Amino acid sequence: SPGLQSLLDELASRPDSAVVPLSGLQAAGVSRLVEAATGGVAAGTAALARRIHAETAGNPLFVAAVLSALERGDEPDRLPHDVVAAVRRRVVRLSAPTQELLRVGAVCGLEFNSRVLARVTGVPAAAALDGLDEATQARLIEETAAHRYRFGHALVRDVLRQQVGPTRAAERHGQIGEALEVVHQDRLDDHVVELAHHFAEATAAGGSVETALRYLGRAADMATSRYAPDAAAGHYQRMLELLEGAGLAG
C-alpha cells in the first residue's frame, strides 16, 4: 500500500538502517517451524517438513500458509490448496496491468522477457518495466538479467496460467512467438525451441501450421546436431501431430 511504501522509504533513508535481502528458508529452518507448529509430536513430522520445503522452495509466504493450515488441523494432503490461496491473494493486490503482464509471462513459461511482454500486451516498454517492478517488490518474480525475469516459484506461474483460458492461451502463444521473432531477430537460433513451442501451441486457435512446422523442423535439426536424439524425436512427434491434425499426414 502507499502508506506502507512511504514507511519503508522513510526507514531506508535513515543512516542507521540497512536493507537485508531475504532468500528462501533452508530445509532445517522449515523443519524447526513445522516442529513448532505441530508440537514436534505429529507422526511423520520430518517427512512433512521435507515435503513442505520441496513444494514451497522455502518461500516464507508459502511456508506460512502451510503452517497456518497445520495449526487449523488440516490434513497434509490439503496443504497445497492453502498455498495456492496465498498466491492468489498476493496476485490480486497487484494493479490490473501488472496482473495482465504476469498472465502473459505465465504463458511464456517460468522465465520471460520484458520486451516480449511489452509487445504482446501493447504497453510501452517503460510501463512494462514499472509493472514488473511492482511484481518484483511483491516477491512474485525476480529479475535475473537485463529484461529477463523468472517466477519466484512454479506455483506462482501455475496460479496465473490457470487464469488464461485455452483459446486465449493459444492466441497468446502466437503473439509471443511473433514478439520473439522481433525481439530476437538477430539471434533466432538461440530461441528456436521457444519459437517452435509457441507457434505449435498457437495452431489450436488457428495459428499457422506452416510456421510451426518450420520452427519444429529447425529445432529437430538442431537437437540432432547436438546429439540429443530424445529432444529431436519429441520435435518430430509434434510435427507429425500437427500434420495429422491438419489432414496433411500420409
Side-chain angles (χ1 to χ4, degrees), residues 2-40:
L4 176 59
Q5 188 61 54
S6 177
L7 175 60
L8 293 175
D9 291 341
E10 180 182 345
L11 291 172
S13 67
R14 295 182 179 179
D16 58 345
S17 68
V19 176
V20 181
L22 298 177
S23 58
L25 298 171
Q26 298 299 314
V30 173
S31 181
R32 287 193 292 271
L33 290 173
V34 171
E35 289 175 0
T38 62

Side-chain angles (χ1 to χ4, degrees), residues 31-118:
S31 181
R32 287 193 292 271
L33 290 173
V34 171
E35 289 175 0
T38 62
V41 296
T45 295
L48 179 59
R50 288 194 297 271
R51 173 188 166 191
I52 292 172
H53 182 262
E55 292 185 349
T56 65
N59 184 299
L61 170 68
F62 301 159
V63 173
V66 168
L67 294 179
S68 293
L70 280 173
E71 291 172 352
R72 293 196 304 270
D74 287 353
E75 293 300 318
D77 61 2
R78 294 184 57 190
L79 299 183
H81 298 294
D82 289 76
V83 174
V84 170
V87 174
R88 286 174 178 160
R89 288 193 296 271
R90 183 64 64 93
V91 169
V92 298
R93 295 190 188 112
L94 299 173
S95 65
T98 296
Q99 291 186 47
E100 182 59 20
L101 284 169
L102 293 185
R103 281 191 285 269
V104 174
V107 177
C108 289
L110 277 175
E111 299 185 2
F112 51 88
N113 185 298
S114 65
R115 292 173 294 184
V116 170
L117 266 57

Side-chain angles (χ1 to χ4, degrees), residues 144-164:
T144 58
H147 301 291
R148 295 293 305 175
Y149 296 80
R150 67 174 288 117
F151 288 103
H153 194 282
L155 286 170
V156 177
R157 188 239 174 178
D158 290 345
V159 167
L160 288 154
R161 181 63 182 80
Q162 290 167 10
Q163 296 177 3
V164 186

Side-chain angles (χ1 to χ4, degrees), residues 148-204:
R148 295 293 305 175
Y149 296 80
R150 67 174 288 117
F151 288 103
H153 194 282
L155 286 170
V156 177
R157 188 239 174 178
D158 290 345
V159 167
L160 288 154
R161 181 63 182 80
Q162 290 167 10
Q163 296 177 3
V164 186
T167 301
R168 175 58 61 85
E171 292 176 346
R172 286 303 197 197
H173 278 296
Q175 294 163 357
I176 290 166
E178 292 170 355
L180 284 168
E181 288 182 314
V182 175
V183 172
H184 301 298
Q185 56 185 306
D186 297 327
R187 298 181 295 109
L188 282 184
D189 282 347
D190 294 340
H191 300 273
V192 164
V193 174
E194 285 180 87
L195 288 159
H197 167 69
H198 289 300
F199 281 119
E201 293 297 309
T203 60

